[in-house]
Amino acid sequence: LRMIGGIRPDATMTPDSYTYLDDPLCLSWQQTLKQAAFSSAFSELEIPVVGLIKGAIGKQIVWSTEKAIELGCESFALPSRELVKLGLFDGVLSAIMSVFRKRGKDAQLLLYGLSYPLRRRGTFVYSGFSWFIGAKKGYYHKGKHSFFPTDTYVRFEECHCAACNGRIPTQLKDDLRSFALHNLLQTVERFR
């Protein structure tokens, strides 16, 4: 909390705890409760807090979602790699959405864990942080492709997304925040 207070990021996520689907039920409940206890201190922060939804079974996921709502979270994050891999993603997503509906929440849900974008049920764009990692490595996303900003295909082309505001790719290379946001917007646009 001291580090978050010192850095003053735009937002922060509640602490993670290791809760795996193959854990014994007692251990997964213990970790889910521990995460909620640690998260309660985050409700005192004066920045937006993204509530991390965790759990090994449906009851834990529902409980975790309800606790994050009670902490005042407006945005939520769900680690999804293991859920997608085991074919459990749709059930978990349905449980979370039913809690949102029951609580009258029109919330943002960040689904993360895969390194490639994937469209789910026509509503969600599911992506890892490849857009951010690409920006750090100097890759500029355009449509379904990535280029170096000096590539002749994109070099002198103005982009009018919210991050670029008419700048050309080479003007973004020293502005990681805008570079990453451009890549994220391209990832989202790809699935519209």
Side-chain angles (χ1 to χ4, degrees), residues 102-142:
K102 185 173 105 180
R103 295 286 189 112
K105 275 282 190 204
D106 183 23
Q108 296 176 336
L109 179 62
L110 170 67
L111 309 172
Y112 71 92
L114 291 181
S115 60
Y116 55 89
L118 174 69
R119 188 173 186 94
R120 300 298 288 188
R121 295 185 186 232
T123 315
F124 292 97
V125 174
Y126 177 86
S127 178
F129 286 103
S130 58
W131 51 272
F132 178 74
I133 295 167
K136 281 190 75 157
K137 293 184 176 186
Y139 289 105
Y140 176 86
H141 290 199
K142 180 179 178 189

Side-chain angles (χ1 to χ4, degrees), residues 8-180:
R8 300 292 306 153
D10 295 334
T12 187
M13 191 165 54
T14 56
D16 195 357
S17 64
Y18 63 91
T19 306
Y20 302 109
L21 297 178
D22 58 352
D23 280 343
L25 196 52
C26 179
L27 180 59
S28 63
W29 267 113
Q30 183 182 32
Q31 289 302 315
T32 303
L33 293 169
K34 181 177 164 184
Q35 180 202 346
F38 286 157
S39 298
S40 65
F42 279 59
S43 64
E44 304 296 321
L45 293 172
E46 295 178 9
I47 58 174
V49 177
V50 177
L52 184 63
I53 298 172
K54 295 285 288 202
I57 61 171
K59 285 182 179 181
Q60 290 171 351
I61 290 164
V62 166
W63 188 86
S64 177
T65 305
E66 289 172 343
K67 291 303 164 198
I69 291 170
E70 288 172 16
L71 287 173
C73 296
E74 296 293 325
S75 300
F76 304 85
L78 175 67
S80 306
R81 179 176 44 102
E82 189 178 21
L83 298 171
V84 170
K85 189 176 180 180
L86 296 173
L88 302 171
F89 178 76
D90 290 336
V92 168
L93 186 59
S94 177
I96 293 167
M97 298 311 289
S98 68
V99 172
F100 288 166
R101 279 190 296 276
K102 185 173 105 180
R103 295 286 189 112
K105 275 282 190 204
D106 183 23
Q108 296 176 336
L109 179 62
L110 170 67
L111 309 172
Y112 71 92
L114 291 181
S115 60
Y116 55 89
L118 174 69
R119 188 173 186 94
R120 300 298 288 188
R121 295 185 186 232
T123 315
F124 292 97
V125 174
Y126 177 86
S127 178
F129 286 103
S130 58
W131 51 272
F132 178 74
I133 295 167
K136 281 190 75 157
K137 293 184 176 186
Y139 289 105
Y140 176 86
H141 290 199
K142 180 179 178 189
K144 295 181 179 180
H145 305 285
S146 296
F147 304 92
F148 283 112
T150 55
D151 190 300
T152 55
Y153 186 70
V154 295
R155 184 182 199 170
F156 299 111
E157 189 174 297
E158 291 181 357
C159 178
H160 295 284
C161 74
C164 294
N165 294 319
R167 291 184 285 178
I168 60 175
T170 53
Q171 292 173 318
L172 296 178
K173 68 180 183 171
D174 294 325
D175 182 357
L176 180 59
R177 185 182 198 141
S178 293
F179 207 147

